[in-house]
Amino acid sequence: MPLPTHTLLAETRKRIVPPRTAPPPVPTTRAAVPPLAPGALPGLGHAAALLRDPLGFLGSLARHGGVVRIRLGPRTVCVVTDARLVHTLLVALARDCPRGAVQDTLKTAFGDGLLMSEGQAHRDRRRIIQPAFGPDRMAGYLAVMHQVTEERAGRWRPGQVLDVAKEMNHLALEIVTRSLFGARLSEDATLAFHRALPDLVKGQIVQSLYPHPALARLPLPVNRRFDAAVRVLNRVVDQAVNGRPGTARPDGCGGTLPALLRAATDPATGRPLTEADVRSEAITMFGAGTETVSTTLTWLLDELLRHPEVEARVLAELDEHLPAGTTPTPEALGRLGYTRSVTQEVVRLHAPNAFLMRTARVPVDLGPYRIPAGTELLYSLTALHRDPVRYQDPLSFRPERWQDGGGLGRPSFLPFGAGKHKCIGEAFAWAELTVAAAAILRRWRPVAVPGSRAREVVWTTVQAHGLRVRLAPRADGAPAAPDRAAVPGGVAVPGGVAVPGAVGERAPSAAPGTVGGQASAAAPGAAAAPEPPAARRASAVRTFASARLRPTGCPFTGSADGPHAPAGVTPPQPRPPAELRAAADRHADWAVRHGLLAPTELPGYRAYALHELIGHAFPRVRGAELDLLVDVLGWFTVLDDHFDGPPGRRPAEAHALVDPLISALDDGPRPTTPDGRLLTAWRELWDRQSASASPAWRARAAQEWRSCLATFPAEAEHRARGTVPALGLGLAETMRLRRHGSCLYPFMNILERVHGADAPATLHAEPALHRLRADTADAATLINDLYSLEREERQSAAAFNTVLTLQRIRGCTRSRAVRAVRARVAHLRRESEELRRELGRRHPAGRWYLDGTRELLAGVQAWTSTSDRYQVPDVRVR
C-alpha cells in the first residue's frame, strides 16, 4: 500500500532523542540477533513513526543497541545507530554491503554512474573522475568560486530581502556549472532545475519505502512527478554538458569534466564512455554539488546570525589571512583554522544526510550482530552527529569543540561518508563553503527578518527552509557590535520585568562613537582615530562576551533576576512593535466581525494589550500563527469577562454557556448555546488550532481545553453553595481549579502547534514534565493573582485569588500573604529550572518545548506588569 505523500514532510528543529549516557551493553555472544524496536503498529510497523519524526525516531533507537531492527510495512530493516559500526559498514564491509534502496531509485533514473555504481565499475569510474578533483586544480576552482559569489552578491541591493535557501541553491548550482562544466545555464534552465529537485527527492524517498518495486511503475501522482523531474534534470544537464562554454576558465582549472569523461575509455570494454555515461556523471555532480552545499551554506549563515560573536571571530580571521580583494588560495584557506572549525560544526550539527541505505549481499557480522543476507541496513549521519555519547551537548553550536579535539575522530564524524564510496568532492565542498561565506560576509551584513529563521525539513536530506534576511552593506568590513539588549540576561521593559528577546536575532548597529553601545574612551571633542577592522572585531567580541543587563526587581514578585532565561540560554529579541500592532488590529476586526465585541467596546478592550502578552510569551511566532494566538487569547478573555456577571454566580447559566463549547471539541452533533457568537468563534478557533495537527496533539489539546472550560461552572457552583476559598474550599483544591482555569495548559499545548511538530512522546510520558507543566501554570496563576489583587479586592463576588485565600485561611495580613505568594513563585521558578535541566538531559529533542514553557511564563509576567486589564477603575492619582 503506497504511503501518502503528505505524511512525508517532517518539519523539525534540531531534533534528537533522549540521550544515552553510555553505549548500550555489548552482547557477550557473537552473532547476536539485533533487537526489535518497540512500538511497531500492525501492518505499518514503524513506518508512521519514521515518517512523522525521522530524526527523532532514528535517534531514539540508539538506546536499544548498536543495530536495531525496525519494520516498514512487510519489510524488516536494520538501523545502524553506532558511529563505529557505521564506519565498519562503509569501510570493512563495503564490498559485501553495496548501496541500498534509496540509491537504487536514482540508479533506475540516471544510470550506473559514480554515485550509484558498485565494485569494479565504481573503482574504474572513480579513477576516471579523480583528476577533476586533484590538488592541482583547486587553485583554479577557488578563483571561480570567488568570482561567481562576488558577481552574485554584487547584484544584491541594500534593504533587499533574500530567501537564503533559494539564493544559496542558485549560487551552488552556478558554482558547479561554471567550475566543473565551464558553462552558464540559462535562467529558464536554472529555474526548471530548482523546481524539479524537490519532486526528485520526494519521489526518491517514497519509492525507496514502497513494499514492492512494482509500485514505482504505477501512475501515482508522486511517481509521475518523479518521472517529470528526471526528464527536466536530464534536459538541464544536457545544456550544461553540450552547451558552449559560458566563461573563460582560470589557469589551473584544466579541462571541463565532460571533456575529461569523453577523453577517457571504459577499462572494462576499452571503448570511450557513452554520452549516457557522461550525462550520468554530470547529474551526479549537479545533485551532490548543489543541494547539500546550498543547505549547509544556509545553515552556516543562520548560525552566524544566532552567534554574532562567532561571526566577529570569523571576519577577524579573514582580515588576517585572506585580506579583502585577494583571490583565495589553498594556502590561505589552510590558515583559516577557526573558520574551518565553524564550518565543521555547522556540518556536524546540520549533517544533510537524514538517512542512507546499504544491503547485505551475504551474511555479515556487524560488531556483535549477525546480519542475514538480503537485509537492508539504514543509517542516519544527522542522528550519528548528534549522539551525546560522541559529542558533549550535541545540540549546541560550539565551534571550539573542533579546536580542542573534542569533535574529531573518523569513526564519529562522517559527513562525506567513508571507505571507497567516500565523496570524491569533499575538498571541493569544504572550499566552496568557506569561499562563498567569506565573499558574502565581507560585502553584506545579513539581518534576520523577524519570524523567518531556518527550520529543518526532512526528506532523504535535512534541508533548511524559511530563513529570510535583509541585507545591510558592510561598508567598512566590520560587523555591527551586538546591542546590549540582545545579550543573554534579558531586556528591560516598563514595570521592572526582564523579558527574553529573540534567540540569535541580530541587534541594531551601535551608534557612531560607541563600541557595542558603550561610549568610547576618547577625550571629549577629540576625533577618534580609525580602528583597523580586525581590532574593531576583536573589540566587538570582547564587548559581547562581557555585556550583561542588570535587571531590576519586580515590585510584586520580588524577583531580583526576573523571568529571563538562565545562563547559557540565549533569549529571543522582541518583534518590531508595528508587527504586533498589526496583529492587534486584525484581532479587533475579527472580534467585531464575530460579534464578540461592539465597536464602542474596542477602546477599553484594546487597552488590555493582549497582543503584547502573546508577543512576549511566544517570541518567535509570526504571521497567521501570531493571529491565531491573539484570537484564542482574546476569545478566552471575552469568555472570562462573562463570568464577572450573572453566569459567575448561577451554575445553570454557566453550564448553558460552557457545555456547548466543550461539546464542540468532539466530532459529534453541533451543539447550541444561549450565546451563539462565542460558540461560532470557538468552532473556528478550534478548527484553526487543530488543522494539520497529529491525532495525539488533538486529543491532548481537547482534554486540556475541557479541563480549562469546566472550571467556569465549577467556580459558579462553589459561589452558589458558598463553598468559596476558605469557606469549605481548601487552598490545595483552589490551586487545582486555578491551575486549569488559567488556560496555561492549552497554551503550553499550542507551543507544539506553532512549532509545527509534537514534542517527543517519550517526553510527554515523563512524570517530571507533568510536574513542570503544573509548576508553570501555578506560577503564572500566582503572578496573575498578585497583579490583579487590587481589582479583585473591590469585587462584590468572592474572588478565587490566592492572596485573598491566604488571608482568609491563615488570618494573616495582606502584606504577609503577598510575601508568601512571592516566595511560592520564586520556589516554582527554581524547581522549574531544575526540571528543565533534568528533562533536557534526557530528552534533548524536546528542549525547544521546555524552553517554550519558560518563555510563556516570562511573557505572563511581562504583560501583567504593564497591562491595563488589572488597573483599578475610577482611581486617580491627584
Side-chain angles (χ1 to χ4, degrees):
M1 174 176 151
L3 297 167
T5 305
H6 71 273
T7 65
L8 296 174
L9 187 62
E11 293 188 3
T12 66
R13 190 175 178 221
K14 299 181 184 175
R15 293 184 179 182
I16 192 169
V17 295
R20 47 194 174 102
T21 57
V26 176
T28 57
T29 305
R30 296 289 295 175
V33 177
L36 179 67
L41 299 175
L44 290 176
H46 300 91
L50 176 64
L51 295 173
R52 182 173 59 249
D53 182 5
L55 299 183
F57 174 72
L58 292 174
S60 71
L61 302 177
R63 55 185 171 174
H64 301 296
V67 181
V68 181
R69 287 178 297 137
I70 64 172
R71 293 200 175 108
L72 303 178
R75 297 160 55 189
T76 297
V77 175
C78 284
V79 180
V80 187
T81 67
D82 184 275
R84 293 183 183 276
L85 295 184
V86 171
H87 189 267
T88 299
L89 175 67
L90 300 181
V91 179
L93 299 179
R95 180 176 180 180
D96 294 331
C97 299
R99 300 179 188 274
V102 174
Q103 290 89 335
D104 286 346
T105 302
L106 295 183
K107 181 176 180 179
T108 303
F110 297 126
D112 199 14
L114 182 67
L115 183 63
M116 282 70 76
S117 60
E118 292 289 344
Q120 187 62 45
H122 176 82
R123 290 191 288 273
D124 291 343
R125 192 61 57 86
R126 193 177 182 98
R127 290 193 189 99
I128 292 172
I129 297 174
Q130 187 66 57
F133 295 96
D136 57 318
R137 297 203 178 202
M138 189 53 66
Y141 289 153
L142 293 178
V144 175
M145 294 171 187
H146 179 71
Q147 180 182 354
V148 170
T149 309
E150 285 286 346
E151 290 174 1
R152 192 157 199 96
R155 294 195 291 269
W156 301 340
R157 293 293 176 262
Q160 179 180 349
V161 174
L162 289 185
D163 181 330
V164 177
K166 179 179 179 181
E167 194 68 21
M168 294 304 102
N169 220 309
H170 282 269
L171 174 62
L173 178 62
E174 191 171 357
I175 287 175
V176 167
T177 305
R178 287 171 59 176
S179 58
L180 294 181
F181 296 87
R184 289 181 184 265
L185 292 177
S186 67
E187 188 65 23
D188 289 344
T190 300
L191 292 175
F193 178 87
H194 293 303
R195 291 194 191 104
L197 203 57
D199 288 332
L200 182 78
V201 174
K202 295 172 189 176
Q204 181 187 14
I205 185 173
V206 172
Q207 293 187 16
S208 68
L209 294 176
Y210 281 151
H212 193 281
L215 291 172
R217 296 190 292 273
L218 296 179
L220 303 172
V222 65
N223 293 340
R224 292 200 302 270
R225 287 192 293 268
F226 177 81
D227 293 340
V230 170
R231 291 192 294 270
V232 168
L233 292 181
N234 273 305
R235 288 198 299 269
V236 171
V237 169
D238 283 344
Q239 183 182 126
V241 169
N242 300 318
R244 292 184 299 175
T247 183
R249 292 167 61 77
D251 294 339
C253 277
T256 65
L257 179 63
L260 185 70
L261 292 168
R262 288 175 175 135
T265 57
D266 186 341
T269 64
R271 299 173 183 173
L273 298 182
T274 66
E275 284 303 304
D277 293 329
V278 175
R279 182 188 295 109
S280 178
E281 301 305 343
I283 287 177
T284 296
M285 298 306 159
F286 268 84
T290 300
E291 184 187 16
T292 55
V293 172
S294 66
T295 296
T296 305
L297 272 172
T298 303
W299 283 121
L300 174 59
L301 293 177
D302 185 72
E303 292 295 352
L304 293 180
L305 285 169
R306 298 176 188 273
H307 302 87
E309 75 283 7
V310 174
E311 181 197 50
R313 286 190 62 180
V314 167
L315 286 168
E317 187 174 68
L318 293 175
D319 284 338
E320 182 178 358
H321 298 297
L322 191 61
T326 60
T327 299
T329 64
E331 294 74 22
L333 263 59
R335 293 191 290 269
L336 301 177
Y338 183 74
T339 302
R340 177 59 179 254
S341 296
V342 171
T343 56
Q344 283 180 302
E345 181 67 352
V346 171
V347 170
R348 180 201 67 80
L349 184 56
H350 303 287
N353 297 111
F355 57 88
L356 297 166
M357 297 184 78
R358 294 288 186 269
T359 302
R361 290 189 310 170
V362 297
V364 295
D365 288 337
L366 191 55
Y369 305 103
R370 184 66 169 175
I371 309 299
T375 301
E376 295 179 285
L377 296 149
L378 183 149
Y379 61 97
S380 168
L381 294 182
T382 314
L384 291 175
H385 290 168
R386 296 177 182 178
D387 185 350
V389 171
R390 305 291 179 191
Y391 297 96
Q392 184 179 6
D393 195 12
L395 296 185
S396 295
F397 180 72
R398 292 175 46 207
E400 63 273 12
R401 77 171 79 237
W402 299 96
Q403 296 179 303
D404 60 15
L408 297 176
R410 285 187 300 170
S412 298
F413 188 56
L414 305 166
F416 294 91
K420 65 179 184 179
H421 286 290
K422 187 175 184 180
C423 176
I424 197 171
E426 177 180 5
F428 186 98
W430 284 122
E432 183 178 355
L433 289 173
T434 304
V435 171
I440 292 169
L441 293 173
R442 283 191 183 286
R443 184 184 291 261
W444 298 105
R445 180 171 64 87
V447 180
V449 174
S452 61
R453 306 315 297 261
R455 67 183 188 278
E456 289 180 345
V457 177
V458 183
W459 293 99
T460 50
T461 57
V462 184
Q463 302 170 9
H465 285 197
L467 178 62
R468 294 168 64 241
V469 299
R470 191 178 304 277
L471 297 172
R474 203 187 299 274
D476 63 352
D483 186 71
R484 290 172 65 87
V487 303
V491 179
V493 298
V497 183
V499 297
V503 170
E505 291 195 6
R506 191 179 307 277
S509 302
T514 68
V515 178
Q518 297 178 345
S520 67
E531 196 176 17
R536 278 198 300 272
R537 289 183 186 123
S539 176
V541 172
R542 290 192 299 271
T543 301
F544 182 88
S546 61
R548 291 293 185 271
L549 280 178
R550 294 183 178 178
T552 59
C554 170
F556 277 93
T557 66
S559 173
D561 56 356
H564 57 271
V569 178
T570 306
Q573 195 175 36
R575 297 175 191 75
E579 187 172 353
L580 282 177
R581 287 196 296 269
D585 292 340
R586 290 191 294 269
H587 170 65
D589 292 341
W590 179 86
V592 172
R593 187 170 67 253
H594 283 80
L596 300 177
L597 295 169
T600 55
E601 296 175 298
L602 281 179
Y605 174 80
R606 295 192 68 155
Y608 295 168
L610 299 175
H611 61 289
E612 293 184 3
L613 170 53
I614 296 301
H616 289 309
F618 296 88
R620 297 170 191 81
V621 174
R622 304 293 192 270
E625 302 291 355
L626 177 62
D627 290 341
L628 170 62
L629 290 173
V630 177
D631 289 346
V632 171
L633 181 61
W635 175 87
F636 185 81
T637 302
V638 172
L639 174 67
D640 184 64
D641 285 347
H642 273 63
F643 288 88
D644 290 339
R649 300 182 297 275
R650 301 171 185 172
E653 291 185 24
H655 279 287
L657 191 61
V658 169
D659 290 352
L661 303 175
I662 295 176
S663 297
L665 297 167
D666 303 317
D667 297 325
R670 293 275 175 161
T672 59
T673 177
D675 193 331
R677 296 166 297 178
L678 273 170
L679 179 58
T680 301
W682 174 239
R683 285 173 180 157
E684 181 202 293
L685 289 174
W686 177 242
D687 288 343
R688 286 162 64 188
Q689 288 178 70
S690 56
S692 304
S694 70
W697 183 92
R698 187 183 178 98
R700 199 162 52 240
Q703 181 56 43
E704 299 296 359
W705 274 118
R706 290 187 191 99
S707 299
C708 174
L709 295 172
T711 61
F712 289 108
E715 289 185 0
E717 289 173 357
H718 281 298
R719 291 191 184 100
R721 293 197 305 263
T723 54
V724 293
L727 297 175
L729 190 63
L731 183 60
E733 190 174 350
T734 301
M735 282 306 301
R736 279 194 293 272
L737 273 175
R738 301 283 288 130
R739 178 184 300 158
H740 288 283
S742 65
C743 86
L744 260 290
Y745 275 106
F747 272 91
M748 281 187 276
N749 290 326
I750 291 177
L751 284 170
E752 298 172 280
R753 168 65 178 79
V754 299
H755 181 70
D758 293 7
T762 51
L763 175 61
H764 275 297
E766 284 273 13
L769 181 68
H770 301 169
R771 181 68 176 271
L772 173 62
R773 283 162 58 92
D775 284 359
T776 303
D778 285 353
T781 298
L782 294 175
I783 290 171
N784 182 281
D785 286 349
L786 288 166
Y787 282 97
S788 63
L789 177 58
E790 291 187 25
R791 176 175 174 173
E792 293 181 335
E793 283 175 325
R794 296 169 182 260
Q795 292 179 359
S796 57
F800 283 70
N801 183 293
T802 313
V803 177
L804 299 178
T805 302
L806 283 174
Q807 287 182 262
R808 297 189 195 106
I809 290 177
R810 298 182 181 175
C812 60
T813 63
R814 181 184 191 271
S815 60
R816 186 174 178 183
V818 167
R819 285 197 301 271
V821 172
R822 282 169 27 180
R824 180 61 179 167
V825 171
H827 169 78
L828 290 171
R829 280 201 174 120
R830 289 192 300 270
E831 184 174 78
S832 295
E833 286 305 327
E834 292 172 1
L835 291 168
R836 288 188 188 97
R837 284 193 293 270
E838 175 188 347
L839 290 167
R841 285 192 296 269
R842 294 204 299 268
H843 305 275
R847 191 165 292 160
W848 58 268
Y849 181 85
L850 303 174
D851 291 343
T853 62
R854 180 193 298 112
E855 292 170 349
L856 185 54
L857 180 59
V860 169
Q861 180 163 332
W863 175 76
T864 51
S865 68
T866 57
S867 173
D868 286 350
R869 179 166 173 77
Y870 300 114
Q871 285 188 357
V872 178
D874 300 323
V875 174
R876 298 287 185 268
V877 177
R878 299 186 185 277

